[in-house]
Amino acid sequence: MSEVICGWHAVEAMLERDPQRITAIWIQQGRDDARVQQLRAAAQRAGRAVRMVDRPGLDERSAGIRHQGVVAEVEPRPPADLAALLDFLDGLSRPPLLLVLDQVQDPHNLGALLRSAAAAGVDAVITPSDRSASLTPVVRKTAAGAAERVMFVRVGNLARALDRLRERGVWIHGLAGDADGDVYEADLTGAVALILGAEASGLRRLTRDRCDGLWKLPMASGVESLNVSAAGAVALFEAVRQRRIARA
């Protein structure tokens, strides 16, 4: 079954990264600005057809997602599994930076986290297959093209996957509001996986048990916590800062 992706960033990223998966592109009639011309040129280079349709036709094709005037139909690509992730990590010549999401369910949060992960140079985003958001059109739209730039992995048993990562020398760091230490005290310079928990319940016990360290964000008095996507962005870019200093 085909999927749709909506929005300029998402469609442009698909044309750049994986154009063979695109089966159709529709642009709203009446637009002929520079962005439309650039996308049409990219589609032509990739051998993909572009069709102009009216606004109701585009609304119908977008499945209710805010489309910004462009929609593409694509062949779905299944997420990577644990075996593919481990093969990928074995081929890396540098310490990986991984983001693990323990049952993050809101598609907007997943999309925002994918966008932050891509900006931070994360090698893979890992989620369990149960009670977790998947790569829906809403996620892809929110991610603004990042869903095509970051390896997305779904695993049947997250605890077992973390065990396999630890066997490969990956240090597991979890974010938890009740942790004693601040994330700025963590050493995030080597092979690292950062774990964020579900929106309401945080990290599950089996996930916490596999963490080498638990860390919190220093919050001003009277503020409970940040949204999971905001907290993830803060932690990821602390890792980026530390890793740049370590390389200098």
Side-chain angles (χ1 to χ4, degrees):
M1 180 181 295
S2 62
E3 300 175 347
V4 295
I5 56 174
C6 305
W8 294 96
H9 288 298
V11 175
E12 288 165 348
M14 181 65 75
L15 273 170
E16 176 187 346
R17 306 281 294 193
D18 205 357
Q20 297 307 310
R21 288 174 53 207
I22 298 176
T23 57
I25 301 173
W26 299 284
I27 296 176
Q28 186 172 326
Q29 287 177 345
R31 289 198 57 165
D32 192 27
D33 53 34
R35 193 157 202 180
V36 171
Q37 294 170 16
Q38 291 170 4
L39 189 142
R40 291 178 70 110
Q44 185 175 21
R45 289 193 298 271
R48 306 292 97 178
V50 175
R51 303 168 190 167
M52 309 300 290
V53 297
D54 58 18
R55 177 62 181 266
L58 207 58
D59 292 343
E60 181 180 353
R61 289 169 171 84
S62 69
I65 309 301
R66 184 170 175 268
H67 51 68
Q68 299 177 312
V70 60
V71 176
E73 181 183 72
V74 301
E75 295 292 339
R77 181 180 63 190
D81 59 12
L82 179 58
L85 172 64
L86 296 178
D87 286 344
F88 169 72
L89 295 180
D90 288 343
L92 281 181
S93 59
R94 51 176 171 72
L97 176 60
L98 308 173
L99 178 63
V100 182
L101 307 177
D102 186 13
Q103 295 190 333
V104 169
Q105 300 180 30
D106 187 294
H108 293 94
N109 283 334
L110 176 57
L113 285 162
L114 284 168
R115 191 171 186 178
S116 294
V122 165
D123 294 295
V125 175
I126 305 160
T127 72
S129 55
D130 62 315
R131 299 182 181 180
S132 298
S134 58
L135 290 181
T136 64
V138 172
V139 171
R140 294 182 185 279
K141 174 66 169 57
T142 307
E148 307 307 322
R149 296 186 172 96
V150 180
M151 185 179 194
F152 185 71
V153 183
R154 287 177 75 85
V155 296
N157 187 312
L158 183 59
R160 186 176 303 141
L162 294 176
D163 288 339
R164 298 295 300 277
L165 291 175
R166 293 182 74 187
E167 291 169 3
R168 279 168 164 73
V170 177
W171 288 79
I172 311 296
H173 294 279
L175 262 64
D178 59 352
D180 294 327
D182 290 347
V183 70
Y184 303 117
E185 302 168 20
D187 182 356
L188 306 177
T189 58
V192 165
L194 281 169
I195 308 183
L196 303 171
E199 288 87 351
S201 55
L203 298 174
R204 291 178 290 174
R205 181 184 61 80
L206 287 176
T207 305
R208 290 176 68 107
D209 289 348
R210 282 159 174 80
C211 289
D212 297 297
L214 291 172
W215 312 95
K216 65 183 178 183
L217 300 181
M219 306 295 295
S221 177
V223 180
E224 281 193 22
S225 63
L226 293 178
N227 171 280
V228 65
S229 61
V234 172
L236 285 173
F237 279 93
E238 170 59 14
V240 170
R241 185 190 69 84
Q242 291 188 21
R243 295 159 90 88
R244 284 184 175 176
I245 292 173
R247 291 197 303 267

